[in-house]
Amino acid sequence: MTVLPRTAALLDHRLATAQREGRLPSVVAGLVRDGGLAWSGAVGTLDGRADGEPADADTQYRMGSITKTFVAVCVLRLRDAGRLDLTDHFEQHVPGSALGGVTVEQLLTHAAGTQAETDGPWWERTPGGDWDHLVGAGAGQRFRAGRRFHYSNVGYGALGRLLEVAHGTGWAEVVRAELLEPLGMTRTTTRPDGRAAQGLAVHPFADVLLREPEHDGGAMAPAGQLWTTVEDLARWATFLGGDTAGLLSADTLAEMCEPHHVVDEPGQPWTGAHGLGWQVWNVDGVRYAGHGGSMPGFLAGLRVRLDGGDGVVTLTNTTASPALKGLGDDLLEVLRTEEPPSVEPWSADGDPALLELVGTWHWGASTTTAKVVGEHLVLGEPGQGRGSRFAPVGADAWVGLDGYHTGEPLRVVRRADGTVSHLDLASFRFSRTPYAPDSDVPGGVDDLGWH
């Protein structure tokens, strides 16, 4: 789809406002919907000068830490191929470092306690050495593994090395062959290639610029090396929205977007968490996933609504500015306000055979209602108490998808004549009447009955 002219005008204006008020040398942005790029815009010039070359959708910017999401997907592909387990210790795959005792999952979720940065010079502004150099510098832990969320660039340097050992080639070659080429992301590279913005710092008190260095990060490159365009990054947003082109299963993508560790800031209410490589946000009950990125001279953002796939990407060539903080959310809000997502018409396509399961059920003296929505049996209200959806996994067998009952089995128990007697939900008995004696209630039913 392509947005309407009025919507495009509003989006262009919001982008231009951010560029001016945020004093951004240039900024590009894109919105994705229905699996494609619905709008993109660009304001400013590649070198920040009024007479410079204008930015456009084919201009490369450094994506910074969004690079980590590509590394994480490649690690999960190894897991899905049976070549590693997330509970494996790092040393099982990459021996000889101070990080050997942490697990792959802990590295992916920034819960390994690994130090945030290197011990040497500021790695983002200086050329990096190889893995042996990073290990030799004593890269290690600040906290006990599993204790807490602690964002770690060093941890993703380690995961990049894991990919290299597993595949026998550089991490960037793994990402290119397994993700970039199949997805058609031909303008995503490890170093600027062709039309690219100059990384710049804008003086905080004057309208003057300073060029930022560009280099190969070496062993730290997996933490933030990739360059991309708004069109390529939009394709990655559609990947996160579910269009994985068969490169990752829907179940694995959903697993990656589950919140594993809360991003806790003392004294602040938390709305963010970290999954397996992806950042996750819960804003007014709406779940988003994506990642931010920053490197000297560049800021980037990617955020996708997990309830429908609408997404936003932003790229700019400045080291620091508050302008990008709310820009993505604002652009998404313009899109949803001006052009609400399409609503799929209701149709009566239910299965009459499931009617015997719907209606009122009792767990002990409590009452709940079961209904069928699509292919799911819904017991109670998901998100309230122990309400959950259940997916069919066999004859009279279901598995929980939400909250307390996630992963728990629900079994339909039938009488000898084939009629439904009760539901067995992970040992809880749901009967049509409270404590029905014929429902095999654990502990039995008192002989006096209700009195």
Side-chain angles (χ1 to χ4, degrees):
M1 66 158 288
T2 302
V3 300
L4 299 172
R6 169 183 163 80
T7 307
L10 291 171
L11 293 168
D12 290 341
H13 183 267
R14 178 64 186 89
L15 190 64
T17 300
Q19 190 270 343
R20 181 171 181 81
E21 293 182 352
R23 299 195 307 142
L24 307 176
S26 69
V27 60
V28 297
L31 289 169
V32 298
R33 173 173 280 182
D34 298 333
L37 184 62
W39 166 86
S40 66
V43 184
T45 61
L46 306 192
D47 62 1
R49 302 294 181 184
D51 59 353
E53 188 176 358
D56 62 17
D58 191 47
T59 301
Q60 278 191 323
Y61 294 78
R62 201 166 185 178
M63 70 168 75
S65 288
I66 300 175
T67 301
K68 294 179 174 73
T69 64
F70 292 84
V71 172
V73 168
C74 287
V75 171
L76 266 294
R77 281 172 53 86
L78 281 174
R79 191 283 305 271
D80 289 354
R83 299 185 59 189
L84 60 76
D85 194 282
L86 297 186
T87 59
D88 288 351
H89 289 138
F90 182 63
E91 64 189 5
Q92 294 174 239
H93 302 278
V94 185
S97 78
L99 306 178
V102 307
T103 68
V104 175
E105 180 173 359
Q106 289 167 343
L107 289 170
L108 285 166
T109 60
H110 297 282
T114 310
Q115 65 190 72
E117 310 295 348
T118 61
D119 291 328
W122 186 3
W123 70 271
E124 293 177 335
R125 297 190 92 250
T126 56
D130 61 14
W131 174 250
D132 289 339
H133 180 269
L134 181 61
V135 170
Q141 292 172 260
R142 305 293 192 210
F143 304 99
R144 169 179 53 82
R147 172 184 168 186
R148 56 167 295 168
F149 174 85
H150 182 65
Y151 193 89
S152 175
N153 285 304
V154 171
Y156 269 78
L159 288 170
R161 181 57 180 168
L162 185 153
L163 291 181
E164 293 180 339
V165 172
H167 290 277
T169 189
W171 72 274
E173 173 60 23
V174 176
V175 169
R176 185 195 62 78
E178 295 202 347
L179 299 175
L180 301 180
E181 281 194 355
L183 294 174
M185 297 175 64
T186 59
R187 292 285 286 133
T188 300
T189 56
T190 54
R191 304 290 294 277
D193 181 19
R195 184 180 176 83
Q198 170 65 49
L200 297 167
V202 180
H203 196 285
F205 305 119
D207 291 337
V208 294
L209 305 170
L210 180 73
R211 291 166 66 97
E212 292 276 25
E214 187 278 324
H215 59 271
D216 185 347
M220 290 298 293
Q225 183 77 19
L226 292 178
W227 292 67
T228 194
T229 66
V230 68
E231 292 181 341
D232 267 21
L233 195 57
R235 178 63 187 94
W236 192 233
T238 65
F239 180 99
L240 176 57
D243 182 9
T244 65
L247 302 177
L248 198 70
S249 73
D251 287 345
T252 296
L253 181 60
E255 179 186 4
M256 294 187 75
C257 294
E258 292 173 359
H260 284 64
H261 289 273
V262 170
V263 181
D264 188 27
E265 298 292 342
Q268 299 295 321
W270 62 268
T271 58
H274 215 287
L276 295 169
W278 295 102
Q279 290 178 280
V280 184
W281 300 274
N282 186 13
V283 182
D284 296 328
V286 178
R287 192 68 59 88
Y288 297 82
H291 213 289
S294 67
M295 290 293 284
F298 296 95
L299 296 170
L302 182 159
R303 183 176 290 210
V304 174
R305 285 182 64 124
L306 295 180
D307 62 354
D310 282 0
V312 60
V313 297
T314 52
L315 296 161
T316 185
N317 58 330
T318 187
T319 301
S321 174
L324 254 63
K325 245 177 192 178
L327 176 60
D329 290 340
D330 288 352
L331 295 174
L332 275 176
E333 183 60 27
V334 170
L335 177 64
R336 293 184 72 85
T337 299
E338 295 297 315
E339 300 183 35
S342 60
V343 177
E344 185 176 351
W346 175 86
S347 62
D349 56 359
D351 183 359
L354 297 178
L355 289 176
E356 60 184 344
L357 303 182
V358 303
T360 302
W361 290 94
H362 299 276
W363 169 47
S366 66
T367 302
T368 191
T369 301
K371 57 186 177 181
V372 176
V373 179
E375 65 174 6
H376 297 139
L377 179 67
V378 183
L379 200 59
E381 291 295 330
Q384 298 182 22
R386 294 186 177 182
S388 182
R389 297 170 303 143
F390 294 84
V393 292
D396 286 336
W398 305 72
V399 66
L401 301 177
D402 307 293
Y404 185 85
H405 294 302
T406 301
E408 298 294 339
L410 183 150
R411 182 169 58 94
V412 178
V413 180
R414 297 182 180 274
R415 303 181 183 92
D417 63 2
T419 59
V420 175
S421 167
H422 57 276
L423 307 178
D424 183 321
L425 174 52
S427 80
F428 295 131
R429 295 292 193 273
F430 285 78
S431 53
R432 286 299 191 183
T433 59
Y435 287 119
D438 67 344
S439 297
D440 191 24
V441 177
V445 177
D446 191 274
D447 291 339
L448 288 177
W450 292 96
H451 61 280

